[in-house]
Amino acid sequence: VGSPVEGNCITLVENSGEDKVDIVFLTENLDLNQVDSYVEYFLDSEPFNQHPEKFNFFYSEYGAECEILQDIAVYCYSRSLVKNSAVCPNDYIVVLADRPKKIRSSAYLNLVSVNVNHDKKVLLHEFAHVFANMADEYVPSKIPRGAENCVSDCSDFEDYDIEAGCFEGCSKSGYFRSSENSIMRTLKSNSYGELNLIILNEYLNEYE
């Protein structure tokens, strides 16, 4: 792997200090204005709007090449993309791709593949997967090991100091979520929900 080529990384937002969440954007044939709109949306959204100083955003001028998995989801992860993202500091990679609306966005390891023909809330949904190990709250899906937002018993919500509800169906039937609807369940929701905000804030509190 060669050294980063100077000029291939554009700094979009940078805060002073060392312990930040570094997010790099790449696109598949989209312009920088699209990236700027997603960064602005992200920083305006709860809970990230309470912690803007904890984030740095960058743009790698290298283009991305994405594929469609099983005619269902856009998937942009590749060794070459990871190499091209490394021209910028990054903990997480976001790739913007223009695909038919029926094609879902996805998350894999530390990379989010976003179909720009979805509501921008899809970035919040997918980022919660890679940043806070959050599970989907719709059924069916796979529960990541250690995910805190889907529980096997309603009493598990008592560990949190919240007025949690208990609704069946959280990645799997027989598992429970704390809010009837949240961004982790449907993009029609405007909130992560109380429990998910607590989980996200626990992760954010690890940063300066």
Side-chain angles (χ1 to χ4, degrees):
V1 178
S3 300
V5 180
E6 193 171 339
N8 288 123
C9 181
I10 296 174
T11 300
L12 304 176
V13 175
E14 190 166 32
N15 289 288
S16 60
E18 293 186 2
D19 199 11
K20 307 297 178 185
V21 185
D22 292 329
I23 300 176
V24 60
F25 278 79
L26 294 88
T27 74
E28 188 182 48
N29 302 319
L30 296 168
D31 61 34
L32 189 53
N33 288 335
Q34 284 270 48
V35 175
D36 286 336
S37 71
Y38 275 85
V39 171
E40 185 176 333
Y41 178 80
F42 184 92
L43 289 174
D44 282 343
S45 300
E46 192 180 20
F48 312 116
N49 59 356
Q50 306 297 317
H51 306 272
E53 76 287 351
K54 297 185 177 183
F55 290 92
N56 295 328
F57 292 91
F58 305 93
Y59 171 67
S60 168
E61 294 182 296
Y62 288 109
E65 292 184 9
C66 305
E67 59 182 302
I68 305 296
L69 290 184
Q70 301 176 344
D71 201 32
I72 293 174
V74 61
Y75 176 82
C76 304
Y77 187 90
S78 68
R79 290 177 66 182
S80 63
L81 184 138
V82 171
K83 181 179 178 180
N84 290 342
S85 71
V87 298
C88 300
N90 72 82
D91 302 305
Y92 301 96
I93 304 166
V94 178
V95 182
L96 304 182
D98 183 354
R99 295 303 175 102
K101 195 165 186 178
K102 69 172 186 175
I103 300 300
R104 291 166 47 179
S105 300
S106 68
Y108 177 70
L109 298 178
N110 70 329
L111 185 142
V112 169
S113 305
V114 171
N115 182 351
V116 296
N117 291 302
H118 297 162
D119 190 296
K120 281 189 173 68
K121 282 180 279 192
V122 76
L123 173 60
L124 305 183
H125 175 99
E126 302 296 348
F127 184 72
H129 285 316
V130 299
F131 179 69
N133 195 41
M134 214 165 275
D136 292 315
E137 294 183 358
Y138 56 78
V139 177
S141 190
K142 185 177 180 179
I143 301 177
R145 184 186 297 273
E148 298 176 66
N149 60 316
C150 292
V151 300
S152 58
D153 192 289
C154 291
S155 63
D156 292 340
F157 291 133
E158 295 171 4
D159 295 339
Y160 297 91
D161 185 22
I162 58 172
E163 292 292 325
C166 192
F167 303 88
E168 186 170 2
C170 195
S171 284
K172 299 179 179 180
S173 56
Y175 277 74
F176 301 88
R177 61 190 191 276
S178 63
S179 56
E180 186 168 9
N181 286 309
S182 79
I183 287 170
M184 299 313 295
R185 180 171 173 81
T186 171
L187 298 185
K188 293 179 181 178
S189 175
N190 291 313
S191 171
Y192 277 113
E194 193 177 5
L195 173 62
N196 294 343
L197 287 172
I198 288 174
I199 294 169
L200 285 163
N201 277 308
E202 286 176 349
Y203 279 84
L204 287 166
N205 287 337
E206 298 295 316
Y207 297 85
E208 291 181 356

